[in-house]
Amino acid sequence: MKDIFPHYHIGHFVNQPEQPLDFEITRFEEMGELDIQDPHKHTFYEILWFDEGRSTQVIDYREYDILPGTLFFISPNQIHHFEEYQPLRGGSVFFTEHFFLLGNSDQERLFELTFLDNFFTTPYFQPDAQTFAEIRLTIDLLIKEKKRSDWSPSIAQSLLQILLAQIQRGIDTREKPNATKRNVILYKKLKTLLDQHFWEALTANDYAQMLNVTPHHLNLVCKAVTGKTTSQYIRARSILEAKRLLTFSDYSVSEIATELSYFDLSYFAKVFKAETGLAPLEFKKTMSEKYRNL
C-alpha cells in the first residue's frame, strides 16, 4: 500500500525544495509562506523553540498546546501538522541523522537522546527559566554560525551536540528516567525495525531474534520504556498505522486490515476497539470529519 502522506525534507521548510540540505536553523518571523501540506511526514528531526505566542501542534492525533518557553520535538515519520497558532516568535532547528553523526557512524549516540524517536513520551519540554535561557544562548550561537558566509558544518554540528545535550540534561533533571540508557537504545533499535516491518505478521520472538536478545529480555526492556509488553507494543504500532489510513485514506476497513496482516476482519475490529475504544468505522467517521477538512 502506497504511503499516503507527503514526505518533506529540510529544503521544503526554507523554500529551497530542490536543495538536499542536512542542517538549517530559522526564526518563525523570517520564514516565508511555505508550500507544505498538512498532515505530513518529515525525513529529518526538528526542534522548535517558542519565545512568544502559543500554538497547537498535533502529532499522530495527540494535540499539544504549546506555550512560550517551550521546546517541541518532531522526529522522522511522525504525522505532524499545525492545528492553529497565534503570532509566534521563536524558530526551528532542522537536522538529519547524517548531520548529527557527521564523522561518526555510531547510531547509538542518536538513540541515547530520549526525547527523539520516542513514541511513548511527550514531544515537548518546558524547562525552568534559567535552563531555557541557557538553551537559547546555544540556539543564538547556532543562528550566528549559520548566517556566516563561511559557516562551518563541523562547528554547527558541535553546537548542535551541545544543544541536544543541554536539552537531555534538563529533561533528566526534571524527570527521573524510567529506563537505563542501554534499555532506551535497545528500545529504539526495536522501534526502527518495527517501522520497517510493521506491515508483516512478525512476532515478539522474531524481533528478539533480529536484535540478538532473548524474548524475555526484550519484553523487560519494552515494559521499562513504554509500560507495554513487546507484543502490545507491536500491536500498538500496527493500530497506529490503521488509524492513519482510516483517517486520511479512502481504503476500506477490510483493505487496511489485510494490508496490516490481519486476515480475520472480526479479530482486527476487536483489537482496534481495544486500543482506541472505537470500532474502525466509528473511528474513521469521527477522525475524517475532524482532520480531513483542515
Side-chain angles (χ1 to χ4, degrees), residues 55-288:
S55 167
T56 300
Q57 303 282 329
V58 183
I59 298 286
D60 279 320
Y61 304 98
R62 297 182 182 182
E63 298 182 4
Y64 303 94
D65 190 24
I66 306 301
L67 304 174
T70 302
L71 301 161
F72 192 81
F73 316 116
I74 305 170
S75 297
N77 294 315
Q78 293 179 319
I79 304 301
H80 169 248
H81 67 265
F82 274 86
E83 179 148 300
E84 59 178 285
Y85 60 91
Q86 296 176 7
L88 299 173
R89 291 185 65 85
S92 291
V93 182
F94 310 96
F95 64 96
T96 63
E97 178 180 316
H98 175 265
F99 187 82
F100 175 86
L101 296 173
L102 200 63
N104 190 319
S105 60
D106 182 9
Q107 192 180 43
E108 290 189 2
R109 293 173 62 244
L110 184 61
F111 286 170
E112 289 174 358
L113 299 167
T114 61
F115 56 93
L116 298 179
D117 291 308
N118 204 332
F119 181 51
F120 284 97
T121 60
T122 55
Y124 66 88
F125 175 49
Q126 190 167 28
D128 58 56
Q130 180 180 341
T131 301
F132 187 72
E134 292 169 352
I135 288 170
R136 285 292 286 109
L137 285 174
T138 305
I139 288 173
D140 286 342
L141 289 173
L142 268 171
I143 292 172
K144 289 177 182 178
E145 177 61 31
K146 188 61 177 66
K147 284 187 173 180
R148 292 176 63 107
S149 59
D150 60 344
W151 81 278
S152 165
S154 61
I155 292 176
Q157 196 245 19
S158 297
L159 289 170
L160 175 65
Q161 298 277 0
I162 293 170
L163 173 64
L164 298 175
Q166 286 177 311
I167 296 170
Q168 186 66 63
R169 180 173 63 184
I171 290 172
D172 290 345
T173 301
R174 176 74 64 85
E175 307 168 6
K176 184 175 177 58
N178 293 326
T180 65
K181 185 180 294 185
R182 181 178 296 181
N183 283 354
V184 170
I185 290 171
L186 182 59
Y187 156 73
K188 289 192 177 181
K189 288 181 177 178
L190 170 63
K191 181 183 178 300
T192 299
L193 286 174
L194 192 53
D195 283 341
Q196 297 167 355
H197 298 284
F198 67 85
W199 302 97
E200 307 168 40
L202 298 182
T203 65
N205 287 357
D206 293 325
Y207 285 106
Q209 187 173 11
M210 285 190 278
L211 291 166
N212 199 29
V213 297
T214 67
H216 177 69
H217 179 65
L218 186 59
N219 206 49
L220 290 176
V221 169
C222 259
K223 291 188 76 172
V225 177
T226 71
K228 295 177 179 285
T229 66
T230 310
S231 295
Q232 289 171 334
Y233 178 58
I234 293 169
R235 185 163 58 247
R237 179 62 183 86
S238 67
I239 295 303
L240 170 61
E241 202 65 24
K243 289 163 65 177
R244 292 171 171 178
L245 292 170
L246 285 167
T247 303
F248 297 108
S249 81
D250 295 320
Y251 294 118
S252 68
V253 174
S254 177
E255 288 173 322
I256 292 169
T258 300
E259 190 66 23
L260 293 169
S261 297
Y262 289 92
F263 299 107
D264 182 332
L265 188 57
S266 62
Y267 176 70
F268 170 74
K270 180 180 178 181
V271 171
F272 189 92
K273 189 167 186 177
E275 286 282 335
T276 67
L278 294 172
L281 282 177
E282 292 178 282
F283 183 91
K284 184 178 183 68
K285 182 177 186 300
T286 301
M287 294 302 174
S288 293

Side-chain angles (χ1 to χ4, degrees), residues 8-65:
Y8 294 119
H9 56 74
I10 293 173
H12 287 100
F13 287 81
V14 292
N15 286 319
Q16 299 180 49
E18 304 304 319
Q19 293 295 321
L21 304 175
D22 277 334
F23 172 79
E24 190 56 79
I25 183 167
T26 185
R27 299 179 190 272
F28 294 142
E29 51 267 35
E30 296 172 353
M31 295 175 69
E33 191 71 25
L34 301 177
D35 185 19
I36 300 293
Q37 299 178 40
D38 279 333
H40 58 265
K41 290 183 179 182
H42 294 188
T43 62
F44 56 91
Y45 295 93
E46 181 178 5
I47 297 175
L48 300 92
W49 79 91
F50 296 86
D51 295 323
E52 296 178 17
R54 62 190 303 162
S55 167
T56 300
Q57 303 282 329
V58 183
I59 298 286
D60 279 320
Y61 304 98
R62 297 182 182 182
E63 298 182 4
Y64 303 94
D65 190 24

